[in-house]
């Protein structure tokens, strides 16, 4: 009888572990949405900076973008689990985004102010690193341990 109880307990523990693993895997998928939202903010801000009629509009768009990124950051910090290799993925995404954003801004403000042919492709290009990070994190089923 004691062996039967151990077997039942083991099966119950296995079922509990499988359920927890599924919950953790779903819980780690938040980064894909985070990255898509970041990409959208980047496109909006880049277009506004390049096509805005005044510094007031640029300042307002920058403030709104910073508030949205702040909200995303708070959201990210409150997630109980993170995608596997989250720190490396996020770091690579942000470094690539920063480099592209600076090239688009420096080139655009230097000679293409208000030129749709520069700012629209440039804005879309700034979205590529976070969208790649979103795709990578969405495909990663395993997650890191709870933080």
């Amino acid at each position: 009888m004691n062996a039967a109880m151990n077997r039942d307990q083991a099966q119950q523990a296995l079922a509990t572990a499988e359920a927890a693993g599924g919950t953790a895997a779903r819980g780690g998928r938040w980064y894909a949405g985070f990255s898509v939202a970041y990409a959208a903010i980047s496109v909006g801000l880049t277009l506004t900076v390049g096509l805005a009629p005044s510094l007031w509009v640029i300042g307002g768009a920058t403030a709104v973008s910073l508030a949205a990124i702040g909200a995303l950051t708070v959201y990210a910090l409150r997630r109980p689990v993170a995608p596997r290799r989250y720190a490396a993925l996020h770091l690579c995404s942000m470094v690539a985004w920063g480099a592209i954003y600076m090239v688009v801004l420096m080139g655009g403000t230097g000679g293409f102010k208000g030129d749709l042919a520069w700012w629209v492709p440039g804005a879309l290009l700034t979205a590529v690193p976070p969208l790649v990070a979103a795709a990578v994190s969405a495909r990663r089923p395993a997650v890191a341990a709870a933080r």
Side-chain angles (χ1 to χ4, degrees), residues 81-108:
V81 294
R84 182 177 298 272
R85 295 183 196 76
Y86 160 74
L89 177 63
H90 186 65
L91 177 65
C92 289
S93 173
M94 292 297 104
V95 167
W97 172 84
I100 292 169
Y101 185 72
M102 289 309 299
V103 167
V104 170
L105 243 53
M106 300 298 259

Side-chain angles (χ1 to χ4, degrees), residues 41-52:
I41 293 165
S42 178
V43 168
L45 179 61
T46 305
L47 287 174
T48 301
V49 167
L51 303 175

Side-chain angles (χ1 to χ4, degrees), residues 2-136:
N2 197 10
M5 287 176 55
N6 288 337
R7 188 177 323 125
D8 291 341
Q9 289 172 343
Q11 288 175 338
Q12 185 177 18
L14 181 59
T16 301
E18 287 174 351
T23 299
R26 286 186 301 279
R29 292 196 182 114
W30 62 266
Y31 187 66
F34 172 99
S35 295
V36 169
Y38 192 93
I41 293 165
S42 178
V43 168
L45 179 61
T46 305
L47 287 174
T48 301
V49 167
L51 303 175
S54 73
L55 290 177
W56 287 103
V57 174
I58 293 171
T62 301
V64 168
S65 295
L66 288 175
I69 291 169
L72 282 174
T73 301
V74 169
Y75 172 77
L77 291 173
R78 298 193 64 182
R79 300 300 93 202
V81 294
R84 182 177 298 272
R85 295 183 196 76
Y86 160 74
L89 177 63
H90 186 65
L91 177 65
C92 289
S93 173
M94 292 297 104
V95 167
W97 172 84
I100 292 169
Y101 185 72
M102 289 309 299
V103 167
V104 170
L105 243 53
M106 300 298 259
T109 57
F112 298 102
K113 190 71 177 160
D115 186 355
L116 285 173
W118 174 267
W119 290 103
V120 171
L124 294 174
L125 191 58
T126 68
V128 171
L131 292 177
V132 168
V136 169

